[in-house]
Amino acid sequence: MEITVAVIKEKKGPFTFEKVQLDGPRPNEVMIKITACGICHTDLAVRDQIYPAPLPIVLGHEGSGVVEAVGDEVTKVKPGDHVVISYGHCGKCPNCLKGSPSYCYNFLGLNFGGCRTDGTHAHHHGNEVLNDFFFSQSSFGTYTVAPETNVVKVDNTVPLELLGPLGCGIQTGAGAVINSLKPGPGSSIIIFGAGAVGLSAIMAAAATGCTTIIAVDINPFRLEFALTLGATHTLDSRQSDFAEVIKAIDVNGIDYAVDTTGRGEVINAAIYSLKSKGICGIIGASPTPLSLDANYLVGKGLQLKGIVEGDSIPDVFIPQLIALFKAGKFPFDKLIKFYEPADINQAAEDSEKGITVKPIIRFDLLNENAS
Ligand SMILES: NC(=O)c1ccc[n+]([C@@H]2O[C@H](COP(=O)([O-])OP(=O)(O)OC[C@H]3O[C@@H](n4cnc5c(N)ncnc54)[C@H](O)[C@@H]3O)[C@@H](O)[C@H]2O)c1
Ligand SMILES: [Zn+2]
Ligand SMILES: [Zn+2]
């Protein structure tokens, strides 16, 4: 069938809209009419070729939509179901079988390969190769197909256009707290970076009973905003009395830290803010190797924990986040600004400039216009 997609054709180039052909679903695949798709920094990192997925490509990995058709072997969903599409994982390797699908042995190919693992595509643009299956979904379009594995059925009483970012950025921040660090009630936690991922971590910390929640950023508006989402303290990472302020909050330091900035000096500040036996979760994409004081880590018994996708099992965790949202304990809708498809490049720029925390593109507007 003919669909409309946003394509990145060249490194650092704009999203351009193209009419392309989409194949129907294979036996293990689901065809989805896309309602909306969030923009995550990983889309922009591929646009800029910091992550080397092949171009031209249909990006988008925070899709939500309605099941249009299913392949013969699909049992999880049926046409009409509301779904969120999350990251690709094989479901069969040892890590998938042990309940850690974000460390799937096939993660790279399934998320950044630019095609199915057998090398085929579902999107076709004349004789040109059009790379797809980005995060096993390529959701910047009016329709897509995705394997059943990463399609998550969701509560159809919640507005579907809000839900796509639960498939990546929001589950990453919330999962880092709820699934990875698991702070007990009354714990203290410090979150570096108050963007989509960090603010989700702050909301999760508040929802799970942390009583000291320190938001750190360099953007004063984001720090103000963090206070409305559960942060109890805010700090600018550049302020000269940073260490003294932490000591004034707790002379022994903080129980848990989360870094979403990927910056070496910030990760070191996160480590130095911890109390003995503290744990620092690392989420942000780092452009350079990290330099660490190993003696300090040893002496304090500290742990560093790399975290992909919030250690979440999407079929389990996304419904949990929706339940918290419905209970008023995880107001992630406050992070969102909707954009029309024609404004997708503006949405990307607003996200990079820190104007919008989580942009979502309403592809249902194109579907409405087409029908
Ligand atoms: N590990 C994963 O599975 C995973 C998943 C999704 C996103 N990510 C990564 O997480 C990171 C954060 O994503 P996001 O969407 O929240 O990005 P974002 O740009 O919305 O947020 C980053 C925040 O860090 C702040 N910041 C920048 N420099 C700082 C400094 N020196 N000190 C303190 N704060 C500083 C920025 O002002 C911004 O608010 C990105 O690198 C993204 O690629 C990782
Ligand atoms: Zn992402
Ligand atoms: Zn796997």
Side-chain angles (χ1 to χ4, degrees), residues 7-359:
V7 182
I8 291 291
K9 292 182 177 165
E10 57 190 26
K11 181 176 173 176
K12 298 191 176 175
F15 291 96
T16 56
F17 283 91
E18 306 283 348
K19 299 231 184 268
V20 302
Q21 291 295 318
L22 180 71
D23 294 338
R26 288 195 173 173
N28 66 330
E29 290 175 347
V30 179
M31 178 182 270
I32 299 136
K33 185 176 187 178
I34 298 293
T35 300
C37 186
I39 297 182
C40 168
H41 278 261
T42 307
D43 295 301
L44 307 178
V46 171
R47 177 197 64 185
D48 299 343
Q49 290 288 279
I50 295 164
Y51 293 145
L55 304 181
I57 193 165
V58 183
L59 297 173
H61 65 286
E62 292 186 339
S64 67
V66 181
V67 174
E68 179 81 7
V70 296
D72 293 345
E73 294 167 9
V74 170
T75 54
K76 215 180 182 182
V77 291
K78 57 181 188 319
D81 285 346
H82 287 195
V83 294
V84 165
I85 322 171
S86 192
Y87 63 89
H89 54 282
C90 75
K92 293 173 183 159
C93 74
N95 278 353
C96 280
L97 293 173
K98 283 191 278 189
S100 296
S102 61
Y103 308 99
C104 173
Y105 287 11
N106 302 297
F107 192 90
L108 211 57
L110 286 167
N111 293 285
F112 293 94
C115 56
R116 294 188 183 92
T117 47
D118 66 3
T120 60
H121 301 279
H123 294 74
H124 306 281
H125 193 208
N127 294 327
E128 286 171 33
V129 171
L130 182 55
N131 295 292
D132 55 3
F133 288 97
F134 182 61
F135 273 71
S136 292
Q137 57 176 293
S138 288
S139 289
F140 285 157
T142 48
Y143 289 80
T144 197
V145 293
E148 176 181 26
T149 340
N150 54 315
V151 172
V152 178
K153 184 173 169 179
V154 292
D155 183 334
N156 65 4
T157 65
V158 182
L160 189 50
E161 62 274 17
L162 287 173
L163 300 183
L166 295 179
C168 185
I170 290 176
Q171 82 174 348
T172 293
V177 174
I178 296 172
N179 301 321
S180 315
L181 300 179
K182 300 190 176 86
S187 298
S188 56
I189 189 164
I190 182 162
I191 316 265
F192 291 78
V197 175
L199 291 169
S200 300
I202 286 167
M203 287 187 286
T208 52
C210 290
T211 44
T212 299
I213 303 171
I214 308 161
V216 185
D217 206 290
I218 50 175
N219 177 334
F221 300 107
R222 291 204 163 178
L223 290 175
E224 274 301 305
F225 188 36
L227 288 171
T228 70
L229 297 173
T232 56
H233 303 72
T234 62
L235 271 169
D236 186 316
S237 64
R238 301 163 301 183
Q239 70 189 68
S240 55
D241 60 347
F242 190 90
E244 288 78 40
V245 176
I246 299 288
K247 274 218 169 72
I249 293 169
D250 187 330
V251 71
N252 294 309
I254 310 302
D255 295 318
Y256 300 93
V258 174
D259 176 72
T260 73
T261 72
R263 299 175 67 97
E265 79 280 13
V266 177
I267 296 172
N268 272 299
I271 290 166
Y272 288 121
S273 66
L274 287 172
K275 68 173 61 154
S276 297
K277 297 285 283 176
I279 308 177
C280 176
I282 301 181
I283 300 176
S286 256
T288 48
L290 199 55
S291 170
L292 293 170
D293 180 348
N295 288 339
Y296 188 82
L297 289 177
V298 172
K300 291 258 178 183
L302 301 179
Q303 289 181 56
L304 295 186
K305 200 170 172 19
I307 303 169
V308 176
E309 296 288 343
D311 284 337
S312 72
I313 301 172
D315 282 317
V316 176
F317 194 50
I318 290 173
Q320 288 174 339
L321 291 179
I322 292 173
L324 279 175
F325 169 69
K326 286 178 76 171
K329 296 186 172 179
F330 188 69
F332 73 94
D333 56 326
K334 290 189 183 169
L335 312 188
I336 287 167
K337 181 175 172 191
F338 290 112
Y339 290 80
E340 295 190 15
D343 297 329
I344 187 168
N345 291 301
Q346 186 65 52
E349 191 182 321
D350 288 355
S351 154
E352 288 179 298
K353 286 188 172 158
I355 296 168
T356 300
V357 177
K358 175 53 73 180

